[in-house]
Amino acid sequence: MLRGACTTLPPIKRVDIMSKEKQSEFKPYHHPAGGWGAAGATAKVLMEQSVLVKGSRGLLAMNQPGGFKCPSCAFPDADHRKKLEFCENGAKALAHEATKARITRDFFERYTVTELMEKSDYWLEMQGRLTEPMRYDAATDKYVPVTWDNAFAMIGRHLQALESPHQAEFYTSGRTANETAFLYSIFIREFGTNNFPDCSNMCHEPTSRGLPPSIGIGKGTIVLADFEHAEAIFVVGQNTGTNSPRMMTNLVEARKRGVPIILINPMPERALIRFTEPQDVLQMGTFGSTPISSEFVHVRIGGDLAIFKGMMKVLFEAEARGENVLDTAFIQEHTAGIEALREDVMGCSWADITRISGVSEEQIRKIGEIYKNSKATIICYGMGLTQHQEGSRLLQQVANILLLRGNFGKPGAGIAPIRGHSNVQGDRTVGIDEKPTQLYLDRVRDAFGFEPPREHGHHVVEALEAMEAGTAKVFIGLGGNFIHAVPDTPRSYAAMRKLNLTVGIATKLNRGHLVHGKDALILPVVARSEIIRTAAGEQFITIEDAMSNVTASRGVFEPVSDHVLPETEIVCRMAMEALPNSKTAWAQYMVDYGPIRDKIAEVYPEIYADFAEKIKNPRGFHLDIPPRRRVWKTPNGKANFLVMPGLEVNEPITDKAMLRLATIRSHDQYNTTIYSNNDRYRGVYNTRLVIFMNKEDMAERGLENGAVIGLETYSEDGVRRYVDGLSVIAYPMSRGAIAGYYPELNPLLPLDYFDEISGTPAAKSIPVKVVESVASAPPIKIAG
């Protein structure tokens, strides 16, 4: 249900999103993904940031033993590493991190915050690295220099002045290292709250909350080597070529072995059609490529559940005919609940399955047969599954499919959430969790000698509601661009501006530093690619990838300035100011990261025992994932078939004019970081204000290619959510589905439109309608 308080939200003033020099253009991209296009883009970004030599040296150290982990995606490193273990997006992330551009006190002297708010996210990104701590001065509406001592003293004063520790919100970005995230969680719990809104809440929280009742853990169950043994691979709701390009190598190798790869998505993605591996000398030299998806299932937004139940129906129908298609021995020994699942699935009619999915019975049966005939299957998924109103339960149906054929605990099989941020999974593992277990809290008490709070804290949506209500007073953001990652942009802006203090801990300037509280600090940090030096010598950090492998990361560049600090030191010094009587060894942890890892091992003995020794392995080590051993950490000790009645994952809306909007990122974007206003693979240049729409849906609304429209959200809270000046592009979308870029379209996503189990906003299924535009938007040129 779209619900919420009746309020009037001011529109967001349009900023300079489009280039003033170049006309916006749509020019379809017909080449394979990767290949010379990716190589050229890598060279171009290194030159744009004036780091061709420095960046090239950094790329040789990225994802290599003794080097640093890529600051972008969480995809794991191969066991047999190449000399170049990076992708185009990793190169962009490094180039923008190693850039020669600098933001100094002179920059902040030139611009008021009001003036900076007029700039686009892309413009802010291109200004370069932050170089010294800054404090907001209300009298001048500018950020001014502040000493580190005074900055930490300000944080301490604000935190100690709170009537309750629950009046503070502590955000964490997925790029935060294990050591820092662990200490951050200890600091905040010693302070007295479990308010941990973090980036997981907005992406893979349904994985963390939906999978444990099913298989006993909220993580994926495969390792990279499983791709070598899979007999079928499903990629659902995930744009691999843009969001995790290094995974393309595994898909290319699988296709060359003849493994079927089934793509289920509302829009085709270039890399999953054809791909040229940039490090394949023969393919590059001959301009060759590899076709990737053997079957493209053009699902409607929200139709995945119907497809999954259709696939299970194929299995149960075959079972009823006497075919030996289910792994009966596995089911009997390891699972519970199959009878209820069978009854639910067999009660679904093919007419309803095809109507809701938008996919023919013939094609669903075809992919069901592919699954049935595979002895080892991997199902990979992204936010196309998690960001729905029933995202958590939807993932439980993915687990159901795999359980029916025993696709856990054997080579080449399992569930694979393809996470985005480089340590988003690791942060959750080491304590960034608003709903901690009692066992974890007991171990924190025993290890650190204080009683941690036992009540659950706030996730992102709850944190914003607390700001809006005025019960939250302080926000500290450990990385990230919180304000442009969250829903309901005007409403969230207003909520953030009610705070007494906002603290942004970051490498780059972003919108979150401009939408601030009465007091505000920007604290610059040492980047992932930079060397961490302390009084105890050079330090390294650790990262957990999306397949639960933990590796060390050591920067190779000198820090951007003498006035930036490592994140771990910032956390320790905040704790020392806020908790003057603390017995925790903050001063020691600030300079020596080894004892931090010892404490991680003490709090997590099952998975981090002998941490100090294991991390000496240059390739790292895998954390234990019980389903890989066919062990299920559920209350009944079994993997559970969980029933989700019906076929809808979002609240149905009967208005035939309704379209389902999925907010997406461009190819030149990483989360909220905008590298350019282009999206090469989708053919969009010099603009981000576009909507991809099916030709038939356009014809029904009388829209020509390139027409300028507005979009309005269906809601029942009395608030009009509207974005104007959007150019329509005819694109092979499924019927009833449209797509456009975030954060530009976040104003259309209501704060209270989310998955009830996880709290994750339903950003991939926003119900909207086309309305007449009143904007004087420049026309987009349609070519080809």
Side-chain angles (χ1 to χ4, degrees):
M1 190 72 174
L2 298 177
R3 61 195 187 285
C6 261
T7 54
T8 301
L9 300 179
I12 294 178
K13 195 168 183 179
R14 184 62 59 202
V15 294
D16 58 337
I17 291 172
M18 292 179 290
S19 167
K20 294 178 181 177
E21 291 80 25
K22 299 179 181 179
Q23 181 181 13
S24 58
E25 182 179 15
F26 173 67
K27 184 169 55 178
Y29 190 85
H30 299 296
H31 307 289
W36 289 108
T42 297
K44 180 181 178 183
V45 73
L46 293 174
M47 289 188 288
E48 284 177 342
Q49 301 304 315
S50 302
V51 290
L52 186 59
V53 175
K54 178 183 178 182
S56 299
R57 180 164 57 89
L59 291 173
L60 291 172
M62 192 158 69
N63 300 320
Q64 299 289 351
F68 62 94
K69 295 295 293 179
C70 179
S72 59
C73 85
F75 201 71
D77 301 328
D79 291 334
H80 306 290
R81 302 191 192 194
K82 304 170 184 175
K83 289 184 178 180
L84 300 178
E85 275 292 345
F86 63 88
C87 66
E88 178 186 341
N89 276 10
K92 290 173 186 172
L94 176 63
H96 282 250
E97 190 172 274
T99 179
K100 286 190 175 180
R102 300 286 184 267
I103 293 180
T104 65
R105 60 180 62 187
D106 293 337
F107 171 89
F108 287 110
E109 180 60 32
R110 287 197 303 272
Y111 297 101
T112 65
V113 169
T114 301
E115 289 169 337
L116 290 172
M117 278 295 292
E118 297 291 317
K119 304 297 184 180
S120 69
D121 292 330
Y122 168 59
W123 188 92
L124 295 175
E125 169 66 23
M126 294 299 290
Q127 302 316 299
R129 288 286 300 280
L130 297 162
T131 55
E132 63 178 316
M134 305 298 290
R135 172 186 62 82
Y136 179 68
D137 177 58
T140 61
D141 188 33
K142 292 181 178 181
Y143 276 98
V144 298
V146 64
T147 67
W148 279 106
D149 286 345
N150 287 340
F152 291 125
M154 176 185 284
I155 295 170
R157 286 196 303 272
H158 273 278
L159 290 176
Q160 290 179 359
L162 297 176
E163 296 174 359
S164 163
H166 304 308
Q167 291 181 321
E169 306 289 346
F170 298 90
Y171 179 73
T172 318
S173 161
R175 278 174 61 170
T176 306
N178 289 327
E179 291 77 8
T180 310
F182 177 75
L183 284 188
Y184 195 51
S185 69
I186 298 304
F187 156 42
I188 294 161
R189 291 195 165 97
E190 186 171 356
F191 182 68
T193 187
N194 285 314
N195 285 352
F196 285 98
D198 80 300
C199 60
S200 286
N201 297 154
M202 291 177 284
C203 55
H204 269 281
E205 194 70 4
T207 298
S208 301
R209 306 300 178 197
L211 290 185
S214 176
I215 61 172
I217 194 169
K219 297 184 179 185
T221 65
I222 72 165
V223 296
L224 204 57
D226 284 315
F227 281 102
E228 300 173 12
H229 303 284
E231 295 186 9
I233 300 170
F234 286 73
V235 180
V236 191
Q238 205 261 343
N239 179 11
T240 311
T242 289
N243 298 343
S244 47
R246 286 200 294 151
M247 178 178 162
M248 292 305 304
T249 298
N250 303 94
L251 298 183
V252 167
E253 291 171 352
R255 284 299 288 137
K256 288 179 178 178
R257 295 196 311 272
V259 174
I261 297 176
I262 295 85
L263 171 63
I264 302 176
N265 210 46
M267 60 193 304
E269 300 292 4
R270 172 55 49 183
L272 291 168
I273 298 172
R274 296 192 72 85
F275 185 79
T276 299
E277 190 175 5
Q279 296 184 42
D280 186 323
V281 176
L282 180 60
Q283 276 199 346
M284 292 288 283
T286 60
F287 295 91
S289 62
T290 302
I292 302 299
S293 59
S294 52
E295 190 76 22
F296 174 46
V297 183
H298 208 183
V299 64
R300 286 187 178 137
I301 287 180
D304 304 273
L305 175 61
I307 288 178
F308 297 153
K309 289 198 174 182
M311 290 174 62
M312 289 189 281
K313 192 176 178 74
V314 169
L315 296 180
F316 285 130
E317 287 177 346
E319 177 198 36
R321 294 193 299 268
E323 296 180 34
N324 185 23
V325 297
L326 304 184
D327 191 333
T328 306
F330 172 86
I331 291 169
Q332 289 178 347
E333 181 179 354
H334 291 284
T335 74
I338 189 172
E339 295 303 329
L341 178 69
R342 182 186 288 110
E343 181 180 358
D344 172 70
V345 168
M346 294 305 285
C348 297
S349 71
W350 278 109
D352 286 341
I353 289 171
T354 57
R355 174 179 56 84
I356 292 172
S357 68
V359 179
S360 69
E361 178 180 345
E362 178 185 15
Q363 189 174 32
I364 296 175
R365 286 190 177 279
K366 181 178 180 180
I367 64 174
E369 289 293 322
I370 291 172
Y371 179 69
K372 185 180 75 171
N373 294 328
S374 168
K375 296 182 177 65
T377 300
I378 295 172
I379 300 182
C380 309
Y381 66 86
M383 287 182 285
L385 290 192
T386 62
Q387 290 182 329
H388 292 274
Q389 285 181 290
E390 293 286 359
S392 296
R393 291 190 177 93
L394 182 58
L395 299 187
Q396 292 168 355
Q397 305 312 300
V398 176
N400 285 345
I401 294 173
L402 292 167
L403 289 169
L404 287 172
R405 295 275 295 155
N407 277 307
F408 288 99
K410 64 183 181 182
I415 194 165
I418 307 301
R419 297 180 186 258
H421 235 155
S422 61
N423 199 44
V424 64
Q425 181 166 301
D427 288 355
R428 177 55 54 86
T429 299
V430 299
I432 302 299
D433 190 346
E434 78 278 5
K435 297 178 181 177
T437 67
Q438 295 304 306
L439 175 61
Y440 161 78
L441 294 173
D442 288 344
R443 287 177 173 171
V444 167
R445 176 198 61 205
D446 296 342
F448 289 94
F450 68 85
E451 182 58 46
R454 299 285 169 162
E455 63 269 39
H456 288 168
H458 293 159
H459 55 53
V460 163
V461 171
E462 293 163 337
L464 285 164
E465 290 173 340
M467 295 176 200
E468 192 171 52
T471 56
K473 305 295 184 182
V474 173
F475 173 86
I476 297 177
L478 186 57
N481 183 4
F482 177 82
I483 196 60
H484 261 194
V486 300
D488 232 341
T489 308
R491 184 175 173 184
S492 297
Y493 277 13
M496 290 286 289
R497 286 172 171 145
K498 290 183 177 182
L499 294 163
N500 291 336
L501 173 69
T502 53
V503 180
I505 302 167
T507 59
K508 293 286 203 68
L509 182 67
N510 65 49
R511 191 71 51 187
H513 307 139
L514 308 180
V515 181
H516 56 75
K518 298 177 183 67
D519 285 333
L521 292 167
I522 301 174
L523 305 182
V525 299
V526 174
R528 180 77 63 78
S529 59
E530 293 171 342
I531 299 167
I532 299 173
R533 293 191 182 93
T534 72
E538 188 173 320
Q539 304 297 313
F540 69 89
I541 57 174
T542 60
I543 304 297
E544 179 188 346
D545 63 37
M547 295 179 188
S548 304
N549 193 51
V550 178
T551 49
S553 179
R554 295 174 175 85
V556 297
F557 299 141
E558 290 298 319
V560 67
S561 90
D562 293 334
H563 304 292
V564 298
L565 293 180
E567 283 183 320
T568 300
E569 180 173 344
I570 292 174
V571 168
C572 291
R573 292 187 64 179
M574 287 194 299
M576 292 161 73
E577 288 287 345
L579 304 167
N581 299 318
S582 173
K583 296 180 181 179
T584 302
W586 301 111
Q588 178 191 19
Y589 299 144
M590 185 166 67
V591 298
D592 188 354
Y593 294 4
I596 306 173
R597 288 185 280 273
D598 292 340
K599 283 294 185 181
I600 292 174
E602 186 176 347
V603 174
Y604 298 98
E606 296 91 347
I607 57 174
Y608 271 112
D610 300 319
F611 192 179
E613 287 300 313
K614 289 178 179 176
I615 202 61
K616 291 178 181 178
N617 184 335
R619 299 189 179 279
F621 64 96
H622 277 94
L623 301 178
D624 179 49
I625 302 297
R628 289 189 59 77
R629 297 182 283 110
R630 294 191 166 181
V631 172
W632 320 98
K633 299 292 186 178
T634 58
N636 63 357
K638 299 282 189 178
N640 293 295
F641 290 104
L642 299 176
V643 173
M644 179 180 173
L647 294 168
E648 299 279 4
V649 294
N650 300 294
E651 180 182 0
I653 292 177
T654 56
D655 188 346
K656 293 183 179 179
M658 188 270 289
L659 296 165
R660 289 278 179 190
L661 166 68
T663 60
I664 58 175
R665 47 162 113 148
S666 71
H667 188 64
D668 259 4
Q669 176 179 355
Y670 195 79
N671 293 338
T672 56
T673 301
I674 311 300
Y675 296 134
S676 85
N677 289 323
N678 301 332
D679 188 354
R680 185 172 80 248
Y681 290 158
R682 297 190 184 105
V684 177
Y685 297 90
N686 304 313
T687 184
R688 292 179 55 82
L689 296 178
V690 299
I691 290 296
F692 301 99
M693 188 182 296
N694 179 283
K695 287 183 179 180
E696 294 178 56
D697 288 332
M698 289 172 58
E700 284 183 358
R701 292 159 179 80
L703 299 175
E704 298 291 334
N705 209 3
V708 179
I709 63 166
L711 288 180
E712 182 177 336
T713 306
Y714 288 84
S715 60
E716 298 177 354
D717 59 5
V719 176
R720 188 186 188 215
R721 294 174 177 85
Y722 171 70
V723 173
D724 200 358
L726 300 166
S727 296
V728 177
I729 293 175
Y731 206 78
M733 301 293 299
S734 60
R735 287 300 307 272
I738 61 174
Y741 302 123
Y742 77 89
E744 289 80 8
L745 296 184
N746 281 1
L748 295 169
L749 176 57
L751 186 62
D752 43 25
Y753 187 54
F754 58 83
D755 173 24
E756 293 285 354
I757 292 176
S758 67
T760 297
K764 290 294 185 288
S765 58
I766 308 169
V768 297
K769 60 183 174 182
V770 173
V771 294
E772 184 178 356
S773 172
V774 297
S776 57
I780 185 171
K781 179 182 177 181
I782 305 294

